Amino acid sequence: MTVAARVDSGRSRPFVRAMRNRAGDVALAVSSGAAILLVLMILAVILGDVVIHGGRRLSLSFFFTAPTEGMTQGGIFPALFGTLAMVLLMTVAVVPVGVATAVYLHEYAPARSLLTRAVRIAVSNLAGVPSIVFGLFGLGFFIQFVGVGLDKIFHGGERVWGQPALVWAALTMAVLTLPVVIVATEEALRAVPRELREASLALGATQFQTVYKVVLPQAVPGILTGTILAISRGAGEVAPILFTGVAYFLPHLPDSLHQQFMHLGNHIYVLSTQSPDVDATKPLLYATVLVLLIVTFVLNLAAVVVRARMRRRLAGVGA
Amino acid sequence: MTMTASAHGPELTMKLTVRDLEVFYGSKRGLAPVTLDLPEKNVTALIGPSGCGKSTFLRSLNRMNELIAGCKVKGDVRLDDEPIYGPGIDPVVVRRRIGMVFQRSNPFPKSIFENVAYGLRIGGINDRGEIAERVERALSHAALWEEVKDRLQENALSLSGGQQQRLCIARALAVEPEVLLMDEPASALDPIATAHIEELIDDLSKNYTVVIVTHNMQQAARVSDWTAFFYMGELVEYDRTNIIFTKPSKPKTEDYITGRFG
Amino acid sequence: MSLREHTNREYEGELRKLRDQLLRMGAKVEEIISGSIKALLERDTDLATRMIAFDRRINQMEVDIDGLCLSILARRQPVASDLRFITMALKLVTDLERIGDLGVNISERVVELNAEPPLKPYVDLPNMANEVQGMLREALDAFVAGDPERAHAVIERDTNIDAYYSQIFRELLTYMMEDAHNIFRATRLQSIAKYLERIGDHATNVAEMVVFMVKGMDIRHTGKLEGETARGG
């Protein structure tokens, strides 16, 4: 073999290998691109359908008036109000409990103890329970046990608390979203580097001071994210509140905790199945769906943005 | 060779006395019984190859070892003749008198001022004037005041690596401990920042008793008055730095510092 | 000196090289002395001239070894036994260079002496020379072996050298007083004896440095090993 030929044959082999690698790269790029396109298309179809049919009905009055004429006219204000009120109550209930549980599990509980393992198992199982079961739980526990009990003590048997109500729906939703908050908080706590805890303890801080002054402040983005995700779920889930507080239609807004309320998600169900004139309510239906989607989307976006901004702040970039 | 007070000479007071200190992680022994005295306002360096027990020993001095699950400590450690281990002795109080600086600087993601003030606030000091004064003093002692006095409200993480480490030192000093433990304080820094830290250690030793773990032998030689050589969980030799680095008594010490192993 | 090798082979190699160069310089210096004495006893001017030429070699070796030591100090930051070895090597080199100079000086006197007939049969001078050469050889061997006992033995022998010198000086004095024509040769011989005595001193220095290097004890100016009681005088 001449020198040139020997050189050539050596050079061609790596060239062929590179080609085969490139083929793999290309195949992966193509298939994942196709998958993304598919997902985007589905999303576009859904959104497109909703936006086209519902966008026209969106207006300020839509948001701020009640449904009229058997739900074929008017707006969704009571449903919006009810959703907001319930979500607010739910948040107030779930965040302290969830954060405290996560803090206990991560900062205080000895790693291998029976109690710790039991609590963790309970939390993960809770996350898998179907939401309708939560509704039944809410009915059986909050309404028929706690509510009725309260009535016996404070109202002499008169039915005030022992019936579907805003507060019971909120508490039921709180139980449902508890795992979300716990897991998000624990993840946030885990992300706080061990060195910071050590630094605090080495300065003579107690465990409580360390958690309260160093760990929790750093974990706030994660906790906020978890809270927002919980809210997002709360605004959308319908099954748990079916038995515990939501009403098909109320002529007035609830003005106390033991009253029922209307809910966006439930309203969609109502509009699509319970109305006397399906065709007339269709535009309202689409518009309500659009509002719900927007709310969910905005909440998720808010979660992402909050997390990003707080992360940047804690990392020292910007003021 | 004795490593206790009598060997040091009568003119030195011992700040920390350690007798038969043994440390176990679960069933595994991390430190064989160690007996040694640390002289007041001197710098003692702990050297030895990885896993030799020097960090374990250091962290036993301020009860930070207890944070590791399954860690058991036997033996007696006294600060100014008061035991720091024992039922009813609060590690929180111990750690206020024996401070620690870590290998990688770990400032809190708060402002420079708040970092240094942290130890004061958790200690119950609330007077703004006092806090401000002690923060300034601590930052001066850590040779950082001039560089940050005009930007105390800026986030601590905006400082350079060397400055952050000095901030951590200031943070520890603000509590006014008597002993300062340093676990490889300069190992993550560039040579110039390291030189600043070393000069700072020299300054600090006028007012504090310093114990420093380092894997850099030249640093130990430059910075310390006394050197303790650990190997495989045992204290092999402890003497004045001058002697350890010119004519050590134990062949293992000689082999290690000349680079014949490890 | 530890018998274990350095983890860093290059460092180990540099230390070995330093040792070798020191020993070669020692050997060269020994050669100069024995050659010069031989030139004296056999009245061999050629040999003496050759010895004088070795001066340049010795100076070059000193420069080379100094350079090597400096490089090791800068790059390796030696400690403990290595540090003692390097710092002593620097001083050893000075002593060896001086010994070399003195050997050359002997040859220069030999050349002058050979211009005239011999003054007397040489008895004490060769004995003194043997003793001194023996001391130097022992000191260098002690360095090679890292043996402080042998080194210490060399230090003890220095008193013999002083005795030799006194005796030779007294004898030459009588020759000078006898006849003025003897003065030229006698003073040259006395110089040679003086050079030998100084070589003995330098050999003693070498021995003291060996003790320091091995044991870490500075016995210069005291001449005592650990555990010895002071001797009178």
Side-chain angles (χ1 to χ4, degrees), chain C residues 23-151:
Chain C
L23 290 174
R24 257 185 276 138
M25 190 173 177
K28 199 79 204 159
V29 155
E30 283 181 302
E31 195 189 327
I32 294 176
I33 298 172
S34 66
S36 303
I37 298 297
K38 190 157 179 247
L40 170 71
L41 297 175
E42 295 175 7
R43 297 179 58 80
D44 188 342
T45 311
D46 280 336
L47 182 56
T49 320
R50 282 208 302 279
M51 293 299 109
I52 293 170
F54 277 156
D55 191 38
R56 287 182 69 186
R57 277 285 293 279
I58 296 291
N59 292 343
Q60 185 58 44
M61 285 172 135
E62 182 189 18
V63 169
D64 290 342
I65 293 176
D66 274 349
L68 182 56
C69 285
L70 227 59
S71 153
I72 296 177
L73 278 174
R75 288 164 58 241
R76 306 290 179 188
Q77 288 103 45
V79 288
S81 59
D82 294 340
L83 178 64
R84 300 197 300 271
F85 173 51
I86 308 278
T87 45
M88 283 303 107
L90 286 170
K91 291 180 181 248
L92 208 70
V93 140
T94 312
D95 278 289
L96 287 179
E97 195 266 338
R98 286 300 301 139
I99 295 174
D101 276 350
L102 290 164
V104 163
N105 290 345
I106 294 176
S107 281
E108 287 167 349
R109 301 291 88 76
V110 166
V111 168
E112 290 169 6
L113 278 172
N114 287 351
E116 296 191 19
L119 178 62
K120 63 185 280 294
Y122 303 130
V123 175
D124 287 325
L125 261 182
N127 287 342
M128 187 186 184
N130 277 336
E131 184 65 15
V132 166
Q133 283 176 280
M135 280 173 71
L136 180 59
R137 199 170 312 122
E138 266 299 291
L140 290 171
D141 283 349
F143 169 69
V144 170
D147 187 347
E149 306 297 329
R150 274 169 93 167

Side-chain angles (χ1 to χ4, degrees), chain A residues 134-135 138-139 143 163-166 168-169 172 240-246 261:
Chain A
F134 280 106
L139 179 65
I143 294 179
Q163 54 185 343
L166 184 60
W168 303 136
T172 307
I241 58 175
L242 279 178
F243 321 123
T244 51
V246 78
F261 63 104

Side-chain angles (χ1 to χ4, degrees), chain A residues 87-99:
Chain A
V87 159
L88 194 66
L89 281 173
M90 173 196 85
T91 307
V92 162
V94 80
V95 169
V97 175
V99 170

Side-chain angles (χ1 to χ4, degrees), chain A residues 44-189:
Chain A
V45 164
I46 295 175
L47 281 179
D49 190 33
V50 169
V51 168
I52 290 169
H53 287 105
R56 265 175 272 132
R57 283 294 261 162
L58 285 183
S59 67
L60 223 56
S61 66
F62 183 70
F63 285 110
F64 287 106
T65 55
T68 54
E69 317 291 344
M71 310 245 202
T72 57
Q73 302 286 329
I76 52 167
F77 181 64
L80 254 181
F81 178 85
T83 310
L84 274 167
M86 185 212 75
V87 159
L88 194 66
L89 281 173
M90 173 196 85
T91 307
V92 162
V94 80
V95 169
V97 175
V99 170
T101 309
V103 166
Y104 172 77
L105 281 178
H106 193 257
E107 305 287 333
Y108 286 90
R112 299 257 171 264
S113 87
L114 207 57
L115 180 64
T116 315
R117 274 186 285 162
V119 173
R120 280 195 202 278
I121 292 172
V123 168
S124 58
N125 281 340
L126 205 65
V129 170
S131 45
I132 189 81
V133 176
F134 280 106
L136 290 172
F137 166 76
L139 179 65
F141 178 72
F142 286 124
I143 294 179
Q144 291 179 341
F145 179 69
V146 177
V148 169
L150 279 176
D151 283 340
K152 277 212 197 101
I153 299 171
F154 293 110
H155 297 280
E158 186 198 337
R159 240 210 194 164
V160 178
W161 293 101
Q163 54 185 343
L166 184 60
V167 64
W168 303 136
L171 285 177
T172 307
M173 288 306 293
V175 175
L176 180 126
T177 52
L178 194 59
V180 174
V181 175
I182 291 177
V183 166
T185 307
E186 245 204 301
E187 189 199 300
L189 292 174

